Amino acid sequence: MTPGGAASPYTAGSGVDTLGMQDWQTPDIVVRIRDSHDDSGLSGQTGVLRSITGGNCSVFLPEEERVVNINGEHLEPVVPAPGSKVKVIFGEDREQVGHLLSIDNQEGVVNMEHSDVKMLNLRYLCKLKD
């Protein structure tokens, strides 16, 4: 659940699993460590994905001021809020960045950096590091 009680578009059955777990990972996005991770001390923390090598991701954890290596299956993208910088993680606009202006149902209104304003499925977007 997200703040306000709405279901996260990245929860089980939302489609992120069916789109290919490794395909969404890209540097500089904010990710959350899933509860499926073996280290319960890391589960639930958010960090910035620094790099991907094979199935392993280097994630900077600001709470601990350190980088950890985590298998990508234990990560999920952080849902952006209006006003956030975002990166497109799926589809033909993958890797493009912009600002999330607003959310309309499950669509994000994004002012893209190198093009116009676009409506994109919210699950195709991830919060970009500040």
Side-chain angles (χ1 to χ4, degrees):
M1 295 299 243
T2 58
S8 165
Y10 304 114
T11 53
S14 69
V16 78
D17 293 322
T18 61
L19 292 171
M21 283 306 296
Q22 304 305 319
D23 294 342
W24 65 268
Q25 295 160 351
T26 179
D28 300 327
I29 59 171
V30 180
V31 295
R32 181 184 160 289
I33 302 171
R34 293 174 174 236
D35 294 337
S36 62
H37 192 273
D38 293 337
D39 185 341
S40 61
L42 294 178
S43 295
Q45 285 196 51
T46 58
V48 176
L49 200 153
R50 291 250 174 107
S51 65
I52 304 112
T53 306
N56 290 318
C57 300
S58 294
V59 179
F60 174 72
L61 301 174
E63 286 181 26
E64 300 183 15
E65 295 186 6
R66 69 180 176 125
V67 175
V68 294
N69 290 314
I70 298 175
N71 188 298
E73 69 185 22
H74 299 295
L75 298 174
E76 63 187 11
V78 169
V79 180
S84 300
K85 287 182 72 174
V86 296
K87 191 171 193 179
V88 181
I89 58 174
F90 289 115
E92 64 184 44
D93 295 310
R94 181 173 157 75
E95 298 292 329
Q96 290 190 40
V97 298
H99 265 87
L100 183 62
L101 301 174
S102 64
I103 296 173
D104 182 13
N105 232 346
Q106 289 298 309
E107 298 281 313
V109 180
V110 182
N111 186 8
M112 304 301 287
E113 267 188 9
H114 299 292
S115 64
D116 297 324
V117 173
K118 290 190 174 188
M119 294 281 291
L120 297 168
N121 190 308
L122 195 56
R123 68 180 188 182
Y124 282 31
L125 303 173
C126 184
K127 184 175 179 179
L128 189 63
K129 74 175 182 177
D130 293 327

